[in-house]
Amino acid sequence: MKEEKRTVGNLIRAVREKKKISREKLSWGICSSATLMRYEQGERIPDKFTADALLERMGIVPYRYEFITSDQEFQYRMLRDRIEKLQKIDTKEALLSIEQYERQTGKKEHLHNQYIWAKRAEIAAEQQRYSEAEELFGKVLAYMGINEVYDSELGAGFFSACEMRCLYGLAEVIFLQGDKSRAYCLYEILKRNLEEHPWDVEKRREYYPHILYKLAGQEMERNNRGTAYQYLTEAKSLLVENYQITHLGEICELLQRLQREMNESGQDGELDDFITALKILEAGKSGEITEEGLRLWENTARRQL
């Protein structure tokens, strides 16, 4: 029997069939199901960005696989890397690079335009221009084929890394504008999406604990202290396991508050130690982690796990 040639199309088909995802759901907003079938059958070869998006929707990290790319695709990848770096240190230069990227890719390039508007939205959010960021995230959703972001069916969808980042970013800017009811609705949809796709480990690790943290606030407003405590405890555990500190201090302080309100005793001392460790971690200049802070983090984290 002749061995089947290994291609990116073979990989996409194998993963899709293993996870029992239909072509229609996987290709939604990226390409037609007929085009996906041609990729899988080797009749056509997807460009790197299409292949990445399809794999990311199935919880596969594309950089773990090497694909042959064209010189043009390599240049786009390098330009994206430049934008990512500049976004953290020089917003003006990042925006100029985004404009350069837009000129090179052209207005008809679906996934490239999705990325362009996502970057502009993220920069607007970082500069606290939340209303503008919400509008820009809306442009990304249009490229995703989403007409109503609060549609319950959204929770059953499959999202690439860029798409999930944009949906979470949208929830954040809506929350920061004070419209908590809309934000909570979107957080709930994203929570259900991650729970229904447990194999999507990377997205779950990156977003799930932060979504739980935000939804714990909703449960506290509803006076559902038990559920809030459950969400916060799980969020804290997940962050500790992955050595993440974003929101961890706030989570610990909320847990302390809930423990006191619920007359729970015996854990205040542990949380005090943990909050102290976090403060030491943040004590270094420019956010650097001090050696003392790292040692205290490791010792405290072991007790928490």
Side-chain angles (χ1 to χ4, degrees), residues 31-263:
C31 61
S32 68
S33 58
T35 297
L36 176 56
M37 181 176 69
R38 293 189 183 98
Y39 293 153
E40 293 183 346
Q41 293 178 346
E43 296 175 8
R44 291 179 61 179
I45 301 174
D47 64 72
K48 174 170 174 53
F49 300 97
T50 299
D52 284 359
L54 292 168
L55 289 170
E56 287 169 354
R57 281 189 170 185
M58 297 187 291
I60 299 295
V61 182
Y63 65 71
R64 293 177 181 171
Y65 298 88
E66 292 185 6
F67 305 134
I68 297 174
T69 61
S70 67
D71 290 342
Q72 184 65 74
E73 288 170 354
F74 177 76
Q75 291 301 319
Y76 290 162
R77 180 71 266 170
M78 295 301 293
L79 190 48
R80 284 196 183 196
D81 289 343
R82 173 177 167 79
I83 291 167
E84 299 293 337
K85 291 176 182 177
L86 287 172
Q87 185 179 344
K88 300 175 183 177
I89 60 175
D90 192 332
T91 300
K92 184 177 179 180
E93 286 298 317
L95 289 169
L96 289 174
S97 292
I98 290 170
E99 290 177 5
Q100 178 187 351
Y101 188 95
E102 186 174 28
R103 287 194 299 271
Q104 290 187 15
T105 56
K107 294 183 178 180
K108 293 183 179 180
E109 297 290 342
H110 176 90
L111 290 174
H112 294 300
N113 284 320
Q114 184 189 82
Y115 174 81
I116 288 164
W117 290 113
K119 289 289 105 183
R120 286 174 173 157
E122 288 172 8
I123 289 171
E126 289 164 3
Q127 296 179 336
Q128 299 183 7
R129 294 182 281 116
Y130 300 131
S131 178
E132 180 183 346
E134 181 180 353
E135 181 180 348
L136 292 169
F137 278 128
K139 292 181 180 292
V140 180
L141 298 181
Y143 281 108
M144 292 168 61
I146 297 174
N147 298 317
E148 177 50 66
V149 71
Y150 305 103
D151 187 342
S152 60
E153 290 298 315
L154 184 64
F158 299 93
F159 304 125
S160 69
C162 178
E163 291 164 344
M164 178 61 79
R165 187 166 65 247
C166 286
L167 287 166
Y168 178 78
L170 176 62
E172 290 283 272
V173 297
I174 291 172
F175 184 89
L176 290 167
Q177 290 178 88
D179 193 348
K180 291 186 177 181
S181 60
R182 280 205 303 148
Y184 286 145
C185 180
L186 188 48
Y187 286 130
E188 289 277 10
I189 288 171
L190 294 177
K191 175 177 177 289
R192 185 170 68 253
N193 179 277
L194 291 169
E195 289 172 346
E196 291 182 357
H197 308 140
W199 37 260
D200 204 341
V201 178
E202 293 293 329
K203 298 187 192 72
R204 185 179 178 88
R205 180 185 296 120
E206 185 170 356
Y207 299 105
Y208 194 65
H210 307 294
I211 290 169
L212 289 176
Y213 162 59
K214 287 297 172 59
L215 290 176
Q218 176 179 237
E219 296 304 323
M220 291 175 71
E221 291 173 9
R222 294 172 173 173
N223 206 30
N224 296 331
R225 294 176 182 173
T227 303
Y229 189 83
Q230 176 189 337
Y231 284 176
L232 290 170
T233 301
E234 185 176 359
K236 172 175 166 286
S237 178
L238 290 170
L239 291 174
V240 171
E241 287 172 7
N242 294 291
Y243 282 75
Q244 299 178 39
I245 63 173
T246 303
H247 291 149
L248 190 50
E250 297 96 318
I251 288 170
C252 289
E253 289 171 353
L254 279 175
L255 278 170
Q256 275 190 327
R257 173 184 158 188
L258 278 173
Q259 284 173 0
R260 289 162 184 163
E261 290 177 357
M262 298 165 67
N263 296 318

Side-chain angles (χ1 to χ4, degrees), residues 252-299:
C252 289
E253 289 171 353
L254 279 175
L255 278 170
Q256 275 190 327
R257 173 184 158 188
L258 278 173
Q259 284 173 0
R260 289 162 184 163
E261 290 177 357
M262 298 165 67
N263 296 318
E264 296 283 342
S265 61
Q267 296 187 43
D268 261 11
E270 290 183 5
L271 285 173
D272 283 337
D273 287 345
F274 209 89
I275 292 169
T276 299
L278 290 171
K279 289 179 179 178
I280 292 175
L281 282 170
E282 295 169 353
K285 294 180 180 179
S286 303
E288 294 175 358
I289 298 176
T290 63
E291 290 185 11
E292 181 186 3
L294 184 57
R295 285 195 299 272
L296 184 52
W297 166 275
E298 290 174 341
N299 292 335

